[in-house]
Each structure stands twice: as C-alpha cells, then as structure tokens.
C-alpha cells in the first residue's frame, strides 16, 4: 500500500474533523489525558486558525489519504516564535488508522516539510509512556532532552538537529 498523504491546512470549515480527534479520549489519552469538550475545542480551534494564517509553511494540517479521500488526522509544524530556526512537530490520528503505517508516513512527511523550510532544529513533545510515538521519533533521529512534569503532565521532549 503506497499510502500517499496530503497535508491540507485546516480552515474555518473543518472544525468537525478537528473535534472528532480532540473529543476522542483514545486519541487524547496520551496528549491531555482527557477528551476536550466542544466549547474548549472551539477556542483551541480559533487559535489554530490564527496560527495557520500567520505562516504559509507552518501550522496545523488535515491529513488525508489521497487514494481514498479519507480524513486520517492532524499533523502540525509550529514555528518557535522566539527561535525561528526551530519548530515543533506533532500529530494525532483517528484510532481506526492506528497501527497501519499512517503515523510513520505522517512523521516522514512532516520531516520533508521541515527540511524545505531551512529550519535548524525540530522538537516534539510526547507522553513518555507513548512507546509508538517515541519509537517513530527516535527512528527518525530525534533524541530525548527532557523527561518530567510539564503543565501538570508527565512529558518527554525530543529534538532533531537538521543542520
């Protein structure tokens, strides 16, 4: 299966796709440890849209399987405003697409986007118990820089040097 993916920036018309992800406790268990209620998700989505409008190459993208047209999840690459040579990547996939290679393909495509932008470093924040994400990132030459409490949650920061 070739699994070609398209990254399409979220727009004001895509809230329901975003909400499908963040309202699912299975998706959010290792991100916020709770599903996000609709009012909070709408406020978060407004911030996401504002970030999307600030940068052409950075922001949050709908991940779509180009063969089937299916919405798979979200991929994000956020520029560090205080250190423009660095960006954070992240992704969330709908549970029906877990363990099918979509995570690996999404990370690979995020790396392709990052390398075209001239960034020096990438970071990622994960739950240290999320072995699948940690393996995906370390297989792509990310290394751990911190494990501990961050905003009340156990967190692990990983980094990849691009230059």
């Amino acid at each position: 299966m070739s699994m070609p993916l398209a990254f399409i920036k979220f727009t004001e018309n895509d809230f329901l796709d975003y909400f499908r992800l963040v309202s699912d406790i299975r998706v959010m268990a290792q991100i916020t440890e709770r599903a996000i209620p609709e009012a909070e998700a709408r406020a978060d989505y407004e911030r996401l849209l504002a970030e999307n409008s600030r940068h052409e190459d950075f922001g949050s993208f709908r991940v779509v399987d180009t063969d089937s047209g299916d919405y798979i999840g979200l991929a994000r690459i956020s520029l560090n405003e205080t250190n423009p040579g660095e960006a954070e990547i992240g992704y969330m996939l709908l549970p029906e697409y877990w363990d099918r290679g979509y995570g690996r393909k999404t990370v690979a495509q995020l790396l392709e986007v990052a390398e075209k932008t001239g960034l020096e470093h990438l970071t990622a924040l994960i739950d240290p118990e999320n072995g699948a994400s940690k393996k995906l990132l370390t297989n792509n030459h990310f290394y751990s820089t911190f494990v501990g409490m961050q905003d009340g949650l156990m967190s692990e920061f990983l980094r990849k040097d691009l230059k």
Side-chain angles (χ1 to χ4, degrees), residues 26-122:
R26 296 168 298 172
V27 173
M28 301 306 290
Q30 294 185 309
I31 299 172
T32 60
E33 297 182 351
R34 66 184 180 88
I36 306 298
E38 185 174 355
E40 184 179 343
R42 285 195 184 277
D44 292 345
Y45 195 69
E46 289 302 315
R47 284 190 291 279
L48 177 155
L49 291 176
E51 181 183 355
N52 274 3
S53 70
R54 279 197 297 275
H55 300 286
E56 185 177 333
D57 296 324
F58 301 99
S60 295
F61 302 86
R62 295 173 72 247
V63 179
V64 176
D65 181 313
T66 56
D67 284 341
S68 66
D70 291 343
Y71 169 68
I72 306 298
L74 175 152
R76 179 177 54 81
I77 182 164
S78 299
L79 189 63
N80 180 333
E81 298 293 343
T82 60
N83 178 4
E86 181 176 282
E88 180 180 342
I89 65 166
Y91 58 93
M92 295 185 280
L93 303 177
L94 292 166
E96 56 265 35
Y97 299 99
W98 293 354
D99 300 320
R100 294 178 47 194
Y102 286 102
R104 185 180 68 253
K105 181 72 175 161
T106 299
V107 169
Q109 202 156 319
L110 280 167
L111 293 175
E112 287 176 22
V113 170
E115 288 168 1
K116 291 177 189 171
T117 63
L119 292 167
E120 297 172 15
H121 309 284
L122 286 178

Side-chain angles (χ1 to χ4, degrees), residues 89 107 124 126 132-142 158:
I89 65 166
V107 169
I126 64 169
S133 281
K134 185 167 185 170
K135 181 179 179 183
L136 264 176
L137 293 166
T138 57
N139 283 348
N140 281 284
H141 309 289
F142 280 78
L158 295 104

